[in-house]
Amino acid sequence: MKKNTLLVTLFTASLFANGQSAEIEEVSITASKEENTAVYHASAPRTTDVVHMDLKVSFDWEHQYLNGEAVLTLKPYFYELDTFVLDAQGMEIKSIAESGGGRNKTLGYEYDGRTLKIAAGKTLNRSESMKVKIVYVSKPNELEVEGGAAITEAKGLYFINPTHDENGWMPQVWTQGEPASNSVWFPTVDQPNERMTHEIAITVPKSYTTVSNGRLDFTTNNSNGTRTDFWLMDQPHAPYLVMMAVGEFASQSDEWNGIPVNYYVEPEYANVARKVYPHTTEMLTFFSEILGTPYPWQKYDQITVREYVSGAMENTTGVIFGDFMYGDSLSWADGTGEDVVSHEMFHHWFGDLVTCESWANLPLNESFATYGEVLWKEHMYGEDEGAWHSYNDLRGYFREYNRGKSVDLIRYDYESVLGMFDGHSYAKGGRVLLMLRTILGDEAFFEGLRVYLEDNRYQSVEIHNLRLAFEKVSGLDLNWFFNQWFLAKGHPILQIEHKYDRESGQQIMTVTQTQDLSEVPLYRLPVQVDVHTSLGVKTYDIIVDREVQEFRFDVMSKPFLVHFDAQQYLLADIQDNKPADFLLHQLANGPRMLDRYEAVEALFSTNVVRMGTIVRICLKDDFHAIRMMSLRKVPELDSVEANKVKSEVRALLTDENTAIRSKAYEIWHEVYGEGDAAFYANATETETSYEAKSGAFDVWIQLDEAAALTYARAHVGKVRGGLETSINIALLQDPSRSTPDQVIGYLNTAGVERQPSIHLWLPKYMIQLNESDFQRVYSVTREIQSGNSNAEGYFNYGIRIARAGVQRELQNPDLSEEELNERKRWESQLKVLLDSE
Ligand SMILES: [Zn+2]
């Protein structure tokens, strides 16, 4: 599973664009800080075993029900049983009978809305199985949690616009099983350590496409005008990976090594379906080769659905994505869903073929999928891009740690299953795999993965299985590594000091582990240190494994640089007080992109002389993140230094990176006063990405507001990405720029897909209107939101943004009486919106 962080990103970007720095509630799940007694979450005991499921489903679109008939082949896992126990959430059970061999004997059962206990009528041993036919109705929208609240995030089965409302999306049905929601739409043992094969027959209107796991075995046209598709999954996998998606989808297809690869999209995207899921077949080839294990399943389907509750999900052979995957050539110039495609595909080895035994072991799924993204980046775009992706994982983990979450990577004492899907299981775990690869070397690492996959295919694993595979291959004991990284919390916090001792001719480096040793391990860290002197670079392999350690390097003269962790691989907070001359040497001579990045970042926080020269060099760096960091530094330079880098900034107006071009427009105008309205108007029109267009547009509207607003009105609701945000802000921040009738017009012409982002800015616009206009716009938004829950979600976020803004303004002591009263009126309008939320 890949969580969706796009909305959070959108906010950050929007607030920057707006020049605001409002304190918005951060959209994140953080662990409760209450002191709970640690609970041991064991792997689910295996008693009832579902060997095979033969499922027939059809839909009651009007009531949003699924009519199901499941024939389960059940057996005791090991110990004898006379009662089978299944998960079945919120179903109406019609009948249960023994099936097969001409039998149809009614079976007794008990059902409490969650657990279904079926009396087998005899005692079975583990060599005996029994077929049980369960006829039921699944009612996902009537499912309740304790206390009667409706479940929104764990319904398992979702009907989107089932009644074909004109304001809504194309009608569709899709499922989301992880962690334990598939038992809403079929009875099963809903645990990650269960394994079953299955066949699913889906009956739909003829115009509908169905997608499910495995291969499409055959199709029949029914006499009532419907069609039934028979999907066969003959390789066992865990129940949470079972999927189904239904709707009037279009597709493009490829074949890879004799298996079908299908790209499903809504009809509007039929011509670009392959581009929605970039590099799919190349990834299948790359991952198969690097893992020494060919892609192990029958086909590879990818489909994008509306109102998806997660980012994407690795259902075996049928990946479901949220609608952020859709785009056009201008948005894809800014970025595609490629990382997500690689993430979900890598799960087909780590997660689907070999599955975590319990949610405590989730990093065995998610750390790998996260590291799969890094491997793909490195392969496709080179070492620097791989390193950058992994570095961002490192930062992601530190963000979560700084918000107060620090837990073991493998956690038997987790507070909630959903809390396992966090920056530890994904980002930290991915980074730990990078460390393991660096320590073992590529050959041992990938051979270890091959052995792990081979030894455990179709099985569930816990962390020790991974260690044993690497030990088997490398001949090394790895308990020390797994204990400190997978089975403990925290990370090393290293204080590093450098001193040159002229008398002994030695460079002395002191490393102190300053983490709280009552909570976090004292680490064993194999590290490379590069010592740069006039004679060249000498690499030392050292082991940091004590609280305070001194390392002495024989040198002929004072070194230019002592580079701790020259491989840039540690997951650690390294506080290395390098003097400026070390940093300058590292910038000029560090072989890796991260050496330069780290040096520039440190230099920019100092008052080093000739900053303009450093900025000038870095504006020409090969790597985009270094160019961008330097570009952001330009406004801080004094005018003499700024003028020294003017030609480099000019060159960035045509940089290959679209975010850099966007920023360069802003700086070209703000710092240098260069370019007239016609220049930025032309750039807005001709730029080849939305992000770059937005940078030009934001300057254009300052220079020629009337012309830029005309452009905005012509493009509102028709563009995406950065430009969409810029235009919406331009038109909706201030009622003097758009009349209520114009805004109602934008809403009515925008189309269902682009309405949400307009809704984000509407609350701020609306509260500034008089009462009757407020009500007029409000009623239109309510109608649209009734068929478009994305719009509703964005609108609700918009209310919070507006509230933060009004509250901030109310604190301003310089407001006049009139201004103060106006803001108070805005506050009361906001209350209307908040109450309706
Ligand atoms: Zn995942």
Side-chain angles (χ1 to χ4, degrees), residues 48 335 378 393 547 568 619 736 742 825:
T48 297
E378 179 185 308
D393 286 338
E547 212 171 328
Q568 297 277 8
L619 287 171
S736 72
Q742 282 175 316
R825 194 180 63 80

Side-chain angles (χ1 to χ4, degrees), residues 170-237:
M170 169 188 106
Q172 48 198 280
V173 166
W174 47 261
T175 62
Q176 166 59 29
E178 195 179 30
S181 301
N182 271 341
S183 47
V184 171
W185 63 280
F186 58 86
T188 191
V189 173
D190 209 346
Q191 293 290 343
N193 59 356
E194 176 61 66
R195 289 294 174 282
M196 65 174 186
T197 52
H198 56 84
E199 48 210 294
I200 303 182
I202 310 171
T203 299
V204 290
K206 267 194 185 134
S207 61
Y208 283 53
T209 296
T210 73
V211 178
S212 188
N213 312 92
R215 63 169 197 273
L216 183 60
D217 202 21
F218 62 95
T219 279
T220 57
N221 286 308
N222 307 315
S223 55
N224 64 357
T226 61
R227 193 187 76 247
T228 303
D229 292 343
F230 291 82
W231 291 91
L232 175 64
M233 181 66 180
D234 53 8
Q235 293 168 265
H237 68 157

